[in-house]
Amino acid sequence: MHADEHSHIKNEQMKVGLFIPCYIDQFYPNVGIATLQLLEKLGCHVSFPLNQTCCGQPMANSGFASLSKSCDKNFVSNFRGFDYIVGPSGSCVLHLKEHLHDEQHPGEAEHIRKHVYELTEFLVDVLKVEKLNASFPYKVGLHNSCHGQRGLHLSSMSERNLPAFSKPQQLLNMVQGLELKMPSRPDECCGFGGTFCVFEEAVSVKMGKDRIADHASNEVQYITGGDTSCLMHLEGILKRNGSKVKTIHIAEILNSNA
Amino acid sequence: MSHTSTLKHAEAAAQFINDEPRTNWHDETLWFVRQKRDKAAHGLPEWEQLREWASQIKNHTLSNLDNYLLEFERNAKANGVTVHWAMDGADHNRIIYDIIQKNNIQKIVKSKSMLTEECGLNEFLHTKGIETVDTDLGERIVQFRNEPPSHIVLPAIHLKKQDVSDTFHEHLNTEKGNNDPQYLTEAARQHLREKFIESELAITGVNFAVAETGGFVVCTNEGNADMGAHAAKIHIACMGFEKMIPKAEHLSVFLRLLARSATGQPITTYSSHFHKPREGQEMHIVIVDNGRSRQLGRADFRNSLKCIRCAACFNTCPVYRRSGGHSYHTAVAGPIGSILNPNIDMRANADLPFASTLCGSCSNVCPVKIDIHDQLWKWRQVLVAEGYVDTTKKVGLKGMAFLLARPRLYRFAGKMGRGVMRLFPWLVNNKLNPWYKQREMPAPPKQSFRDWYLQNKK
Amino acid sequence: MSSRDTILKNITANKPELVELPAIDLNTVIQYNDLVQQYKTVLQSIGGGTVELQDLSSLKQELESRKAKGDFVVNRIAALGEVSDSLASLTADELAAVDTAYIQGNVAVAENGAIWLYESNMGNRLLPFICQHLVIVIERKSIVPTMHHAYQQIESAKEGFGVFLAGPSKTADIEQSLVIGAHGARSLIVYMIG
């Protein structure tokens, strides 16, 4: 945990590099906008390095980690020199923390690995947010993404015998009017899984349908979460089935105006 | 190189899911077992500490395994037990066949041993004209049906009681349509008691082998291992060499974890400690390698040998629950099977490490703290490097990596309307477009985040 | 080279550097306020029954009356009367007819309901498994909290065979429906004396 060692830095002095994963950049710009606006509202000095592309995870998780080396290089050259790097995706952030390397700039790569944060963990652990001026008067189900939860430990895990906590839940509880509903299986995978979603299409979709059914039994209006990839997969199934339930990234809720 | 190898699990899983109500039932039944496991684990405040001890004991044992095996052999021999060593499955099967022939054995009962499944013992003996009766209820059911077990602890978990009823009606002449589990179990009890009483040779597995005593422990709920071993004049216990633990006191750690992890029981009904043959009995132990020493040499994968075969990773795995054990086409299915089997045959099992979303639940439930999902990831790298991954996947990901390493090209592709999809080969790089089959595509927005940023922030 | 030597040689070549065994600190394991109550609760949850007795007299009477009725009961506890000591020569076929076996337990474990039985308590290894019903007698003071404590009390390799036995034989292999009485004893009653 690096939060404490930097707690002396005031928010406005923090140089935050905004990491917007490729599929958010291309398909879900509103998630990027909400993340940027939210961080700025909280007083951070945020910049978006213009030549960023991707963290390299899609290749690496498919067994082609060797192909993601040039992605890594590009990432390091975009994100060196920031105090923190923040991205609205648990999965991409976990990949960077575990696998980002650059032979020519090993020190800078290490700095990034240690200072890259998923949005909700940055808000809770570094900014230590205690209240938000946000309002979202809807019934919302929270989807814990596996990489955020089991990888980044954004919340306690149902398998482990350890004290309960949840960073995203803590933040959602600060949002006015929001009625939070947890599914009966609080941390079952949605089935996206990167290229798993197409190479194991049948299982992937079945897992997604089951997640949706669990949330639907709570009569939620929205399913939210910290990973756009999970939400894109669930949204695809919801739309195909003509469901009224919508997906929304947690950044958009936390940034919603009162 | 097999181009279809990476699709094998996926295809079998798709067939399984075709029957959606049955898939739901399979998922819910195993989730129920997972919940029982949670309740048992959460009932012990020292649960995480126990896992840590178990992990460290196994790590220690693996680091001194040759010496422990020698100590075990010495003590077992002193106890009057014959110890055999098998390089592989064929060696294992031949050793057992030799004992059968030498003693002119006709009647054999076998309790659950995933090792004998791994070695294909039943099939081998069948080719020699020798029939083995599996005595675990679930194993007997699948044996009647000529199917392999679909789960290492719950071998017939893929079947419903109607299926069992039909099978027993055919083989045991039970009432047609009587699906009562109590009735069906009683029929199996009567049938198998006859088999135990007349058996000449009993084969069992081994849960733990203790170097210090030369003894071994076999755990069952039904009592079938004991019924066989104590009735027959010869007992053969088969074990992979990773079953070793240093001392009897270490059994406490593992017996506390095993059943709680497997089924949520505080302990199995019977934890039987075998040390010496009874008077007039012959006792044999077959210690099997079958690729294990190779796995021991793979630094990234060696700790898979800590596995105690509780199957908690099966029950928690969202993919296993929705694809069934047979889709893994190996004796040991599920997440642990997916990191063990590529070691045995990389080509045949190249699909298995990809049959996972890497959600990590398997590693969290593992009572000996095997980093299963990390090893799945690492196996993917090995399988790609060794050329066992099909080429369409390779071409797509190479193109993607090329674009993503070149910011200008990435942005150019993104601006080409639908061309944006080229960035994401898993969305379109396939004529049948598996994403679109049951899911809508995300609607491409008017501008990317970067374009918005340039317009509004710069 | 023999299979044995090849396997051992490969293990020696491939094993990692030696790591230490952990120290197991029993102060960190679960404690129970009332061992007897905990034992009873767990055994009931796994299908066994318990009876608390001051002494063995009533159980002795029950055994005698069952014998008088002609039930095939086998007694292995000296304090309950005549002990069946020629069991070793009985075949499985003969033992299968035993209705109830009475066996002394050595150590009982509160966390899981298990009782340790040495082979010498059984007379025949098959007895506690093949009998239709099983009665085990334990001393109240022989109940220990956990398996760690149990292994401190017993010497698991002292005899050729020994077992931790917890409840009646059971299976859930048909649709996860629990059925008591798979291959072994259909019932277990534990008498707690003292």
Side-chain angles (χ1 to χ4, degrees), chain B residues 156-194:
Chain B
I157 196 65
H158 59 293
L159 297 171
K160 303 193 78 161
K161 56 191 177 188
Q162 298 88 306
D163 304 323
V164 178
S165 175
D166 291 347
T167 303
F168 278 15
H169 174 67
E170 187 187 335
H171 294 273
L172 299 179
N173 204 24
T174 55
E175 285 166 33
K176 191 161 180 59
N178 190 336
N179 301 341
D180 178 18
Q182 182 93 42
Y183 168 76
L184 296 169
T185 302
E186 182 63 27
R189 176 184 171 102
Q190 298 306 334
H191 158 68
L192 286 166
R193 279 207 159 211
E194 274 176 35

Side-chain angles (χ1 to χ4, degrees), chain A residues 25-26 40 50-51 53 60-61 65 158-161 188 197-198 200-201 206 210 233 236 240, chain B residues 9 20 24 34 44 48 321-322 361 377 380-381 404 410 426 436-440 445 450 457:
Chain A
D25 176 49
Q26 293 293 330
E40 286 183 340
L50 289 167
N51 280 327
T53 59
N61 283 7
S158 63
E159 302 94 357
R160 306 288 303 274
N161 194 2
E188 174 105 322
C197 75
V198 288
E200 286 268 6
E201 185 266 346
K206 180 62 183 142
D210 290 354
H233 162 68
R240 174 61 58 88
Chain B
H9 175 273
E20 193 161 4
N24 291 339
R34 154 77 205 272
L44 285 183
E48 300 297 335
R321 278 188 262 110
R322 291 174 183 81
S361 189
W377 191 92
R380 293 180 184 187
Q381 313 305 320
L404 289 170
Y410 159 79
W426 67 85
Y436 191 66
K437 203 172 151 199
Q438 299 186 72
R439 284 168 289 214
E440 294 299 322
R450 185 177 184 276
K457 287 287 176 180

Side-chain angles (χ1 to χ4, degrees), chain B residues 68-226:
Chain B
Y68 281 132
L69 282 164
L70 286 167
E71 185 185 351
F72 175 77
E73 180 189 45
R74 194 166 59 243
N75 289 324
K77 279 181 168 171
N79 288 337
V81 179
T82 310
V83 179
H84 309 260
W85 300 74
M87 285 292 291
D88 53 25
D91 215 3
H92 162 268
N93 295 344
R94 184 193 46 74
I95 289 165
I96 292 173
Y97 182 59
D98 286 350
I99 297 169
I100 292 169
Q101 280 217 306
K102 193 176 142 209
N103 294 279
N104 194 23
I105 301 287
Q106 309 292 328
K107 313 267 188 191
I108 303 172
V109 290
K110 179 160 78 69
S111 68
K112 195 150 76 222
S113 152
M114 292 321 298
L115 179 69
T116 62
E117 297 285 340
E118 175 188 320
C119 296
L121 178 67
N122 283 10
E123 296 75 12
F124 169 80
L125 292 178
H126 181 77
T127 64
K128 302 284 183 188
I130 298 163
E131 294 310 318
T132 310
V133 175
D134 281 327
T135 58
D136 172 84
L137 174 57
E139 284 214 313
R140 189 61 176 151
I141 294 167
V142 296
Q143 187 178 40
F144 277 142
R145 298 170 62 93
N146 277 319
E147 291 174 3
S150 68
H151 186 291
I152 57 175
V153 172
L154 316 166
I157 196 65
H158 59 293
L159 297 171
K160 303 193 78 161
K161 56 191 177 188
Q162 298 88 306
D163 304 323
V164 178
S165 175
D166 291 347
T167 303
F168 278 15
H169 174 67
E170 187 187 335
H171 294 273
L172 299 179
N173 204 24
T174 55
E175 285 166 33
K176 191 161 180 59
N178 190 336
N179 301 341
D180 178 18
Q182 182 93 42
Y183 168 76
L184 296 169
T185 302
E186 182 63 27
R189 176 184 171 102
Q190 298 306 334
H191 158 68
L192 286 166
R193 279 207 159 211
E194 274 176 35
K195 300 292 179 189
F196 288 126
I197 287 168
E198 65 186 27
S199 79
E200 300 160 306
L201 168 66
I203 299 171
T204 70
V206 168
N207 289 91
F208 306 99
V210 183
E212 161 189 66
T213 65
F216 58 93
V217 175
V218 182
C219 302
T220 73
N221 281 318
E222 298 180 3
N224 55 315
D226 290 282

Side-chain angles (χ1 to χ4, degrees), chain B residues 20 33 91 123 141 153 159 172 178 180 201 214 235 267 272 279-280 287 333 336 345 360 386 400 418 428 447 450 455:
Chain B
E20 193 161 4
V33 181
D91 215 3
E123 296 75 12
I141 294 167
V153 172
L159 297 171
L172 299 179
N178 190 336
D180 178 18
L201 168 66
H235 174 191
I267 190 168
S272 297
E279 205 168 300
I287 299 173
I336 184 68
D345 186 337
E386 304 268 329
M400 183 183 186
R418 301 285 296 181
V428 283
Q447 56 183 179
R450 185 177 184 276
Q455 213 170 70

Side-chain angles (χ1 to χ4, degrees), chain B residues 349-451:
Chain B
N349 300 314
D351 55 332
L352 297 180
F354 294 90
S356 163
T357 61
L358 306 179
C359 80
S361 189
C362 46
S363 306
N364 270 350
V365 295
C366 179
V368 290
K369 296 180 105 170
I370 302 171
D371 52 341
I372 302 174
H373 74 292
D374 287 332
Q375 293 192 37
L376 289 166
W377 191 92
K378 288 172 182 165
W379 268 119
R380 293 180 184 187
Q381 313 305 320
V382 171
L383 291 163
V384 166
E386 304 268 329
Y388 292 111
V389 167
D390 89 66
T391 39
T392 54
K393 198 174 199 172
K394 204 168 188 166
V395 168
L397 287 160
K398 270 195 170 156
M400 183 183 186
F402 185 82
L403 278 177
L404 289 170
R406 290 163 178 79
R408 281 183 343 112
L409 208 54
Y410 159 79
R411 294 196 292 274
F412 176 72
K415 286 211 170 74
M416 291 172 60
R418 301 285 296 181
V420 70
M421 302 299 185
R422 290 215 188 112
L423 286 168
F424 305 97
W426 67 85
L427 291 180
V428 283
N429 190 30
N430 185 311
K431 280 175 196 151
L432 299 169
N433 191 357
W435 176 279
Y436 191 66
K437 203 172 151 199
Q438 299 186 72
R439 284 168 289 214
E440 294 299 322
M441 313 285 270
K446 277 191 228 104
Q447 56 183 179
S448 69
F449 172 77
R450 185 177 184 276
D451 290 344

Side-chain angles (χ1 to χ4, degrees), chain A residues 16-116:
Chain A
V16 174
L18 180 62
F19 162 45
I20 298 300
C22 51
Y23 58 93
I24 294 181
D25 176 49
Q26 293 293 330
F27 296 127
Y28 297 95
N30 290 339
V31 175
I33 295 167
T35 305
L36 175 62
Q37 289 176 343
L38 180 62
L39 289 171
E40 286 183 340
K41 263 191 221 171
L42 293 165
C44 298
H45 178 76
V46 186
S47 25
F48 174 74
L50 289 167
N51 280 327
Q52 59 179 291
T53 59
C54 168
C55 63
Q57 180 180 215
M59 282 78 78
N61 283 7
S62 306
F64 294 84
S66 54
L67 292 181
S68 65
K69 275 195 186 129
S70 33
C71 270
D72 283 9
K73 246 177 98 168
N74 185 52
F75 196 94
V76 171
S77 74
N78 272 274
F79 284 98
R80 60 182 162 207
F82 288 106
D83 296 320
Y84 294 100
I85 296 94
V86 180
S89 162
S91 186
C92 305
V93 168
L94 178 67
H95 175 77
L96 292 166
K97 273 195 207 279
E98 289 185 339
H99 300 295
L100 183 79
H101 290 285
D102 184 343
E103 280 166 22
Q104 269 139 33
H105 307 97
E108 281 157 329
E110 191 192 349
H111 177 83
I112 293 173
R113 284 200 305 274
K114 288 187 172 164
H115 294 86
V116 62

